[in-house]
């Protein structure tokens, strides 16, 4: 099978189920953002040395692939419409967040992304996750999206933020607080 089919040369693609749609449609933007997020998570996983974090990131990538497949499916032809995503997947993220929070200083200010290239990768993944979430929420206004999809993306961005803080701590990188500039008035 060739990697190129030429069927998208006029700006259309097929959803799982066969329906042809424009590549600019919100559904395509949504699963494209999830695909981009999955790539960023892969980069974060590649630079992480913590074995349990690497394993969880791989699991997250698997969930994102499932999520993308659900979003890439023709909603009129989905048998159940329920992704292979479970409340336990969200609870797993919450437990990981809570475990990291126990090791981190309480957050008292907004922090600026950065401090170390690995931390920055994690912040980039977080911001792409937020964009994917916004696009899926917008899609949900047009066509119903299973609530677990939105909930998972929301919790995943929280996990990535907390992971960025944990990475900064482990790498000895400074967390730079955002200090708003005082008005000259």
């Amino acid at each position: 099978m060739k990697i190129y089919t030429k069927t998208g040369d006029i700006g259309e693609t097929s959803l799982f189920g066969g329906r042809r749609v424009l590549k600019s449609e919100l559904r395509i933007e949504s699963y494209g953002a999830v695909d981009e997020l999955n790539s960023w998570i892969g980069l974060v996983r590649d630079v992480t040395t913590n074995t349990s974090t690497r394993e969880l990131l791989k699991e997250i990538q698997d969930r994102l692939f499932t999520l993308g497949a659900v979003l890439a499916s023709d909603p009129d032809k989905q048998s159940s419409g329920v992704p292979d995503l479970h409340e336990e997947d969200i609870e797993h993220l919450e437990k990981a967040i809570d475990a990291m929070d126990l090791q981190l200083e309480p957050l008292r200010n907004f922090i600026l992304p950065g401090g170390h290239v690995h931390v920055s990768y994690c912040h980039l993944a977080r911001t792409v996750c937020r964009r994917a979430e916004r696009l899926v929420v917008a899609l949900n206004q047009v066509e119903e999206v299973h609530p677990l999809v939105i909930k998972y993306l929301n919790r995943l961005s929280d996990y990535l933020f907390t992971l960025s803080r944990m990475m900064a701590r482990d790498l000895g990188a400074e967390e730079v607080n955002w200090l708003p500039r005082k008005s000259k008035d």
Side-chain angles (χ1 to χ4, degrees):
M1 180 176 146
K2 290 186 176 187
I3 191 70
Y4 59 91
T5 61
K6 299 183 183 182
T7 59
D9 290 352
I10 60 169
E12 292 182 348
T13 192
S14 291
L15 297 176
F16 293 143
R19 181 166 55 123
R20 301 286 296 169
V21 297
L22 291 173
K23 291 181 178 184
S24 59
E25 284 195 17
L26 191 52
R27 178 169 292 281
I28 309 308
E29 286 288 332
S30 295
Y31 77 72
V34 169
D35 185 34
E36 182 184 352
L37 170 59
N38 206 334
S39 296
W40 279 107
I41 298 273
L43 181 60
V44 172
R45 185 171 56 87
D46 286 345
V47 300
T48 300
T49 58
N50 181 296
T51 304
S52 61
T53 300
R54 287 177 61 82
E55 289 171 6
L56 179 53
L57 289 170
K58 184 172 182 317
E59 184 179 312
I60 289 167
Q61 285 188 286
D62 182 74
R63 296 296 94 74
L64 289 175
F65 210 88
T66 298
L67 226 145
V70 168
L71 292 170
S73 297
D74 185 342
D76 296 332
K77 295 194 177 171
Q78 287 182 355
S79 56
S80 67
V82 179
D84 185 21
L85 194 61
H86 307 279
E87 193 67 41
E88 294 83 33
D89 296 317
I90 294 159
E91 292 168 4
H92 193 52
L93 292 175
E94 291 172 347
K95 287 177 184 174
I97 293 167
D98 292 343
M100 288 186 287
D101 268 341
L102 289 174
Q103 301 174 60
L104 294 168
E105 291 293 321
L107 190 61
R108 291 182 172 79
N109 299 85
F110 288 106
I111 58 171
L112 299 176
H116 189 282
V117 69
H118 297 174
V119 175
S120 295
Y121 290 153
C122 202
H123 279 291
L124 284 165
R126 175 187 56 80
T127 59
V128 172
C129 186
R130 286 286 189 208
R131 178 165 33 93
E133 179 188 8
R134 289 189 305 271
L135 287 166
V136 171
V137 167
L139 177 62
N140 190 49
Q141 299 302 306
V142 179
E143 300 176 41
E144 186 178 357
V145 175
H146 195 281
L148 279 179
V149 171
I150 297 168
K151 190 173 181 179
Y152 187 82
L153 289 170
N154 183 50
R155 203 68 79 252
L156 179 56
S157 64
D158 296 334
Y159 169 79
L160 291 168
F161 176 75
T162 308
L163 180 60
S164 72
R165 295 193 67 220
M166 191 71 188
M167 290 173 83
R169 188 203 78 155
D170 291 348
L171 292 163
E174 179 186 5
E175 274 191 346
V176 179
N177 291 331
W178 174 63
L179 302 172
R181 185 169 49 186
K182 303 285 187 211
S183 174
K184 292 182 180 184
D185 295 339

